[in-house]
Amino acid sequence: MANISPRKLRDDLYCYSYQQDSSLPLVISVLASLIERNLARNERIAKNCTWALSKNVRTRVFDCHETPDMTIQSYLERIFRYTRAGPSVYVVAYVYIDRFCQLYPEFRISPRNVHRLLITTIMVASKYVEDMNYRNSYFARVGGLTTNEMNKLEMEFLFMMGFKFHVNVSVFESYCRHLEREVSIGGGYEIERTLRCAEEIKSKQIEERSCCSQITRVLL
């Protein structure tokens, strides 16, 4: 976290590239730091309070038999490397995680469930934000799951959330500000707010495709 500069954060905000060789979005490091701190707090609570463990069978769908030997940062980097999901996807995924925790206050993010929760929320967020997406089977391979497991997690998550996945601009920006406070106490730094930027990119791509089709018709 200390290596993230305000200038770099602002550059990523306004100039993030969606090309295949684009660098790792800084929001991934910020999100990883926040979740890891949440994990540490929950582990301290679990040691002192047995009631802190979730007894809700539905929320335990995210529990795995063995704790994955991969840090949150490495897992998020892997997801980005193979899906190239833009920064806004991770912000929206964080919104979903927060909503889920509010809906099920007995649920605690733990080493046993955090990886499955992340791959599920990121996949669902990607479907909400992006125009084109990989199949569930691909997300499953990226996340270290079988296709059946991925399908089940998605279905359970959709119903547990009541299919409430809309994120308006004001909510999106409020969560961006919350993540910015992770970078520096007192805020003022900005991570990649790319919802509007992504819309501009998509609009330009549509215009380019339209132009190309017109040129093709002229040539024919």
Side-chain angles (χ1 to χ4, degrees), residues 131-146:
D131 281 341
M132 299 180 66
N133 283 282
Y134 292 104
R135 294 176 182 272
N136 285 20
S137 56
Y138 184 80
F139 272 99
R141 289 197 298 273
V142 172
L145 305 171
T146 66

Side-chain angles (χ1 to χ4, degrees), residues 1-215:
M1 291 292 293
N3 295 324
I4 299 178
S5 70
R7 183 185 296 274
K8 184 66 173 68
L9 284 166
R10 296 190 187 101
D11 287 345
D12 275 12
L13 166 60
Y14 296 108
C15 307
Y16 181 78
S17 170
Y18 281 83
Q19 302 302 316
Q20 286 297 317
D21 59 349
S22 55
S23 58
L24 185 76
L26 298 179
V27 66
I28 288 180
S29 296
V30 179
L31 182 58
S33 173
L34 187 148
I35 292 177
E36 285 169 357
R37 199 166 69 238
N38 186 279
L39 270 173
R41 183 178 69 247
N42 289 341
E43 287 182 333
R44 288 196 300 271
I45 293 173
K47 287 180 180 179
N48 299 321
C49 308
T50 54
W51 55 263
L53 299 175
S54 176
K55 294 180 175 61
N56 190 319
V57 176
R58 295 187 69 189
T59 61
R60 296 183 69 175
V61 68
F62 295 104
D63 288 356
C64 55
H65 298 298
E66 295 182 6
T67 303
D69 187 20
M70 182 177 286
T71 65
I72 304 303
Q73 176 77 27
S74 298
Y75 195 64
L76 289 175
E77 288 179 4
R78 173 182 171 80
I79 294 172
F80 172 75
R81 187 182 311 117
Y82 290 105
T83 67
R84 312 307 293 184
S88 57
V89 170
Y90 298 93
V91 178
V92 172
Y94 176 53
V95 174
Y96 293 164
I97 291 173
D98 191 46
R99 286 180 182 175
F100 184 78
C101 291
Q102 290 180 37
L103 282 171
Y104 302 93
E106 75 282 1
F107 176 78
R108 294 288 185 274
I109 297 176
S110 72
R112 290 188 61 188
N113 62 34
V114 64
H115 296 83
R116 293 190 174 201
L117 181 65
L118 281 172
I119 191 63
T120 304
T121 53
I122 289 171
M123 184 179 74
V124 174
S126 179
K127 291 181 179 182
Y128 177 80
V129 175
E130 308 280 14
D131 281 341
M132 299 180 66
N133 283 282
Y134 292 104
R135 294 176 182 272
N136 285 20
S137 56
Y138 184 80
F139 272 99
R141 289 197 298 273
V142 172
L145 305 171
T146 66
T147 302
N148 287 339
E149 286 175 325
M150 189 77 261
N151 290 341
K152 180 181 179 181
L153 288 173
E154 180 187 33
M155 188 62 65
E156 290 284 348
F157 186 66
L158 294 177
F159 278 96
M160 284 191 287
M161 291 286 286
F163 291 87
K164 296 179 180 179
F165 294 100
H166 178 63
V167 178
N168 60 38
V169 174
S170 61
V171 170
F172 179 84
E173 292 186 344
S174 70
Y175 276 85
C176 282
R177 288 192 293 272
H178 180 71
L179 290 171
E180 286 160 14
R181 286 193 289 271
E182 282 296 296
V183 179
S184 173
I185 300 300
Y189 299 164
E190 295 180 335
I191 61 173
E192 307 91 340
R193 290 197 188 100
T194 57
L195 281 182
R196 294 195 184 96
C197 182
E199 289 300 322
E200 292 174 3
I201 292 172
K202 293 171 187 175
S203 178
K204 289 179 181 179
Q205 289 174 341
I206 292 171
E207 290 177 5
E208 289 173 357
R209 285 196 294 268
S210 176
C211 181
C212 289
S213 63
Q214 290 175 5
I215 292 173

